Amino acid sequence: MASAPSLEWKSLNLSDPVLKTIEEHFKFKCMTPIQVESIKNFLEKKKDVAAEAVTGSGKTLAFLVPMLELILKRSDPLKKHEVGGLIISPTRELATQTSHVLSEFLNNIEGITQMLTLGGNPIETDVKTFNKNGANIIVATPGRLEDLLTRKIPNFHLHKSLKSLEMLILDEADKLLELGFEKSINTVLQYLPTQRRTGLFSATQTKQVALLVKAGLRNPIMVIVKEKHCLNPKSNQVESISTPLALQNYYTICEADKKLAFLVTFLKKNGLNSKYMLFLSTCACVEYFSIILKNLIPEINLFSLHGKMNNKRYKIFELFYKAEKGILLCTDVMARGVDIPEVNWVIQYDPPSNASSFVHRAGRTARVGKNGSSLVILMPNEDAYVHFIYSNQKVILELIPELEINNLDQVVAKVRKCQLKDRTVFDKANKAFVSYIQAYSKHECHLLLRIKDLEFGKLATSFGLLRLPKMPELKNKVINNFIPVEIDFNSIKYQNNEREESRQKKLKNYLETGIWPGQIKNKKGLKQTVAWADAKQKKLEKREKRKKKKELRKQMELEGKAKEKKKREQTFSEAELNDLAKDIALMKKLKSKKISKEQFDMEFGEV
C-alpha cells in the first residue's frame, strides 16, 4: 500500500520541456500519490510498475512523464522510425484522449513524434502514415496493433521498429482483459524486446490482471494508492474507499414508472447550465432516450454516444469534451479512463451490469482533486444495492433529498406523442424496452437484482410504450399498472417518406394476401414473422448450443488421445514379445536342468 507525500513537480529532475508543459498547460503544482510512486519506481529504481489507484487520480501523467524522460535521456536519440514508447488502451476514446494529452507535451518537445492507431479506420492509412512520418511513441487499441504486427504488408516492418522500445504501458488493464483482448496482448508481447520498462495501470486489480503481471512484467513493484474516507457509518472507523474524496455519491429510490419523470425534474431543478453524463444499460436505450429527452427538455444541449456508432463516436466525444454545458447519454463505453473537463454530475439511470463499473462510471467526475457528484436511480426492488456496493466496492452512498414528482402524466403523454408522430420512435421504444429487460436478466448481481421482481407494467409506462412488445420474459405474465393506447398501430407513419412508402406497399400486400413481404413458405406452409426478441433469443441459444458442442467435441478428442497414448504405452512390440518368449523358454530349460547355470547366464546376457 503506497501512501506518498505531496511533492512538487519541480522537485524532480525533469527535462525542461516536460516540466514546462505540466506547469503551463496542466497547471499542477503537486503530484498525486500515484504519480509520485510510479515515476520514482520507473526512473529512480528502474522497475516495472503494476499500479492500482482510484479513478481520476492522474494515472495518465504517471506513465507519460517517465516515458518521455526515458526517451529524452537516451544516449543515442531515436531515429524517425524507431519506437521508444508504446501505449495500449482498451477503447478508442481512451486512446484518443491519451494521444491528446501526449500532444500537449510534444508541442514543447522537438524531435519526438507520435502516432495514434485505432480499429475501425483503414489499416492502409496507418501504414502510409508510419512509413512517411515515423513515430517515436505509438498509442493504439490492441486489435489494431496486433493487426499491424501480424499482417504481411509489403514494405512495412513495425516489429523491427519496436526493437528500440523503452517503455510499454497497458492502460486500464482490467478492462483490456474484460473486453477479451488477452490473446491480442499476448501476441503483441511476443514482438517486444524483453529489456524494456513495463507499466500496468488500472483502477481495479483482478485475478486476470495478476496473471498478466506475472507474464508481462519483470520483478514488478506493486503500487496501490487508495483514498481515505473520514468515517464508516457502521464501524465508526476510517477505511479505504474506491472513489476520490472530492466525489459525493448519492442514491434515490424511485418507483419504476416515475424514473423518467424524476430524471426530467432533477435536471431542471439542478440546472441546465451544468455538465452531466447519463449512463444507460444498452445502446438501444441510448438511442431512444436521446430522442425523447430532447423532446421533453428542448433547451438542453444533448449528446449521445454508444459502442455501435463506430467513427461517429469521435466527433460526438470531441463536441461534448469542448462543451461548457449539456448532457451526454452513453453506455459503459465511456466508463473507463475518459477524462472530460468539468463534469458536474454522473447519473446512473440503472445499476451497471457489474459492480466495478459503478466505480468507473462515478469516476468520470471529481477528477484530479476537483469536486463532483454522482447519483444512481434505484427502484424499490433494488434497495439492497446500496449495501451491496459498499460491501463489494467500498462506495458509501448517501440518500439524496427527495424530489416532488408531479409531472408523471405529462411526461408519459409527451413521450407517447413522439411515438405516434413518427414510427421510427415507436420502433426504437420497443427495441429499447426489450434490450433493457434482456440486459437486466444478465446482471452480475442477478441474485440481488432479480428479473422476477421487476414491475413490467410500471417499467413500460416509464418507457412511454404504446403497447407491450411480444417477448419471452412477458409470456404468461399478469401485467399490472400499464394502460395501452387503443389505436390501429398500422396507422403510425414514418416521417421518412421513403421508409413510409416502402411500409405502405408491404402493408397493402399484407391486407390483400395476408402475407407480409419477406415471409417465406416452407413445407408446412407459411413461416410466421418472428418477434425481434424471440429471434435474438433463438440466436443466442443456437450460439450457446454450438459452443457446448464444440467444447464437448474438444473434450472427446482429448479423451481419445489420452486413451490412445495409454494403449500405446501398454502395447508391446512383436520383437519385445519374441524376446520375452525366448527368456521364458530359457528359464524353463534351466528349471528342468536341460542347461547349466553358466549356459543360462551366457544366453540370457548377464555375463
Side-chain angles (χ1 to χ4, degrees), residues 293-424:
L293 203 57
K294 189 64 179 175
N295 277 273
L296 292 169
I297 315 176
E299 63 272 28
I300 199 167
N301 193 18
L302 189 142
F303 309 83
S304 63
L305 193 154
H306 59 73
K308 294 181 180 178
M309 297 175 74
N310 297 325
N311 293 340
K312 193 178 177 184
R313 281 160 49 181
Y314 306 123
K315 294 178 182 178
I316 295 167
F317 174 75
E318 288 289 336
L319 288 170
F320 184 68
Y321 185 92
K322 294 174 183 177
E324 294 182 0
K325 60 182 180 180
I327 182 168
L328 174 68
L329 279 66
C330 57
T331 57
D332 282 339
V333 74
M334 292 293 289
R336 288 298 190 103
V338 179
D339 190 8
I340 298 174
E342 309 300 333
V343 173
N344 305 103
W345 278 91
V346 167
I347 304 171
Q348 304 190 50
Y349 199 70
D350 318 288
S353 59
N354 58 70
S356 62
S357 290
F358 186 98
V359 173
H360 294 297
R361 284 179 171 189
R364 296 316 96 210
T365 184
R367 298 184 68 77
V368 198
K370 295 180 181 178
N371 294 324
S373 304
S374 81
L375 169 67
V376 59
I377 304 173
L378 302 174
M379 294 182 287
N381 65 294
E382 299 171 334
D383 59 347
Y385 192 80
V386 177
H387 176 72
F388 166 79
I389 204 66
Y390 169 72
S391 301
N392 191 280
Q393 293 291 315
K394 299 300 180 187
V395 177
I396 299 172
L397 298 178
E398 298 177 32
L399 184 63
I400 202 167
E402 191 173 342
L403 283 179
E404 185 179 351
I405 304 171
N406 51 21
N407 60 342
L408 177 59
D409 293 339
Q410 186 182 2
V411 167
V412 174
K414 281 187 176 181
V415 173
R416 285 181 161 180
K417 188 178 178 181
C418 289
Q419 295 181 59
L420 291 167
K421 191 176 178 181
D422 187 358
R423 195 176 188 88
T424 300

Side-chain angles (χ1 to χ4, degrees), residues 15 43 64-78 82-86 102 106 109 111-113 135-138 164-167:
S15 304
L43 298 180
L64 280 184
V65 169
M67 179 179 284
L68 289 166
E69 287 296 309
L70 286 171
I71 293 173
L72 285 168
K73 292 178 180 178
R74 279 174 58 98
S75 56
D76 53 329
L78 290 172
E82 285 185 314
V83 179
L86 180 60
L102 178 58
L106 299 188
I109 301 173
I112 296 180
T113 58
N136 303 130
I137 299 175
I138 292 178
S164 302
L165 190 71
E166 291 283 351
M167 183 181 286

